[in-house]
Structures are given as structure tokens and as C-alpha cells.
């Protein structure tokens, strides 16, 4: 599948079959994650792959009751080590939220190419996630995603047209 097809095929999946993600698919997806770009190539990411049913269930309230995450074979928790990221992006910010977001987008596009589903989970309570997974103080939780076999085929969500968001030469 080419990149444009994967971009079109990817939708947030909020209903999963319990079937396991085959190891070869998981390895290809995580290799796509590993190859993501990052500020100064800092690669400040750590990914915790949760397959244990009790742990996935424990993560649901920490994700504000989003129960569908526990349906999927895996819940992947994307963390950042702030200190490993580029510290002065644009003169005002650190790159770690961007770095992790890019890596997660690689994950989601690769998942779509593999026929699997994922969904950005940004609604979570960081201290609770850290407690459940024993994540140390020097790591931040940036986002999570379930990863598994889709049990729905959602309609594409609307997007703004290009003429509202793209400008030549000046705004
Ligand atoms: C940073 C971020 C956080 C998000 N958090 C959640 C979330 O907590 N729960 C959820 O169901 N979807 C979440 N989403 C998914 C968006 O709702 C979804 O991407 C958007 O509605 C467009 O739909 P699509 O992904 O199917 O194209 C999040 C997406 C992003 C990029």
C-alpha cells in the first residue's frame, strides 16, 4: 500500500476485535515508529506496549473511561524524555511533544497499511497512567493508542478545504 492510500485508509478506530496482532505486523509497525524524524535526531521516545488484560482495564479510568482501548489486543503508551529532545525549537519550545506525535503518526499510518486500527488518546490523566505503569519522573506521557483489529469501518470525518488552510506567498 502506498503512503497516500494509507493516509486515506486511516481513521480513528473505537471498536476492536480481540484477535491478537501478529508479531510480524507489530514488528513492521514499530520499525516505522523507530524511523520517525525528531528534533536534532534526539529520539526522546519510549513506547510501553500493554497486552495484559488487567493492566489494559486499569488504564481505562486513567483515559477518562474510554473503554474501547481495552478491547484492542494492545494499548501503546507513548512517553518522552524531555532532556533528550531539542530544547530551543523556534526559540521558544522543546521538541518532545512534536517528536512523539510524529512517531505516533508513523505508527497509525503503518497500522492502517497493515489493516489494523488505532486511535490517538489525548484525554488521559498523566499521574494515573504513570502510577499504573511505574513510569519514572523523568518521562512524560504524551499520548496513547489502542492497536488491534478494527470492528468498525467509520466514515471519513470532514476536513477543511485546502483553500481555507493553504496560502501562496502570504496570508
Ligand atoms: C492529539 C489528539 C488527541 C486525541 N484524543 C482522542 C481521545 O482521547 N479519544 C478519542 O476517541 N479520540 C481522540 N483523538 C482522535 C480525534 O478525535 C480524531 O483524530 C478526529 O476526530 C479526526 O478523525 P479521524 O482520526 O477518524 O480522521 C485525538 C486526536 C488527536 C490528534
Amino acid at each position: 500500500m502506498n503512503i497516500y492510500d494509507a493516509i486515506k485508509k486511516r481513521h480513528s478506530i473505537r471498536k476492536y476485535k480481540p484477535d491478537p496482532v501478529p508479531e510480524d505486523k507489530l514488528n513492521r509497525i514499530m520499525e516505522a515508529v523507530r524511523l520517525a524524524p525528531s528534533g536534532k535526531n534526539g529520539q526522546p521516545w519510549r513506547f510501553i506496549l500493554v497486552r495484559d488484560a488487567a493492566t489494559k482495564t486499569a488504564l481505562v479510568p486513567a483515559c477518562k473511561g474510554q473503554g474501547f482501548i481495552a478491547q484492542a489486543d494492545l494499548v501503546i503508551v507513548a512517553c518522552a524524555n524531555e532532556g533528550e529532545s531539542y530544547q530551543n525549537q523556534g526559540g521558544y519550545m522543546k521538541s518532545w511533544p512534536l517528536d512523539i506525535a510524529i512517531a505516533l503518526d508513523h505508527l497509525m499510518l503503518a497500522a492502517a497499511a497493515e489493516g489494523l486500527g488505532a486511535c490517538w488518546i489525548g484525554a488521559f490523566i498523566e499521574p494515573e497512567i504513570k502510577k499504573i505503569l511505574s513510569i519514572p519522573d523523568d518521562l512524560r506521557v504524551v499520548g496513547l493508542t489502542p492497536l488491534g483489529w478494527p470492528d468498525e469501518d467509520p466514515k471519513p470525518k470532514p476536513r477543511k478545504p485546502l483553500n481555507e488552510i493553504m496560502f501562496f506567498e502570504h496570508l
Side-chain angles (χ1 to χ4, degrees):
M1 179 179 290
N2 78 32
I3 187 73
Y4 295 105
D5 292 334
I7 287 168
K8 280 194 181 138
K9 200 174 158 209
R10 187 216 59 82
H11 304 294
S12 293
I13 298 299
R14 299 185 177 89
K15 212 170 168 220
Y16 292 88
K17 298 175 187 161
D19 310 63
V21 172
E23 287 311 297
D24 58 337
K25 286 184 182 286
L26 183 59
N27 289 340
R28 284 193 294 271
I29 291 167
M30 292 313 293
E31 180 65 3
V33 168
R34 195 179 72 84
L35 296 177
S38 57
K40 274 199 162 175
N41 203 23
Q43 304 164 68
W45 39 61
R46 307 287 185 276
F47 297 92
I48 304 170
L49 279 60
V50 180
R51 199 167 240 153
D52 175 68
T55 311
K56 285 189 294 182
T57 302
L59 286 170
V60 170
C63 293
K64 305 196 171 181
Q66 301 189 79
F68 65 87
I69 66 165
Q71 295 172 353
D73 180 39
L74 287 158
V75 175
I76 298 181
V77 183
C79 304
N81 182 317
E82 291 191 47
E84 291 176 7
S85 76
Y86 177 47
Q87 303 291 300
N88 197 28
Q89 170 141 337
Y92 74 94
M93 67 188 282
K94 297 182 182 182
S95 70
W96 56 271
L98 306 176
D99 298 332
I100 276 57
I102 292 165
L104 269 180
D105 202 45
H106 274 212
L107 184 154
M108 288 174 192
L109 292 175
E114 296 288 349
L116 295 166
C119 180
W120 251 100
I121 300 293
F124 63 85
I125 303 156
E126 192 194 31
E128 291 187 16
I129 305 272
K130 289 182 102 166
K131 195 169 168 202
I132 293 162
L133 299 176
S134 307
I135 297 171
D137 287 346
D138 62 346
L139 292 185
R140 301 304 306 259
V141 180
V142 180
L144 300 86
T145 181
L147 178 68
W149 291 99
D151 198 16
E152 64 170 354
D153 185 14
K155 275 197 306 201
K157 296 270 167 47
R159 295 292 195 266
K160 293 175 183 173
L162 266 185
N163 65 10
E164 277 184 26
I165 62 168
M166 185 178 83
F167 308 92
F168 284 106
E169 315 304 348
H170 59 79
L171 264 183

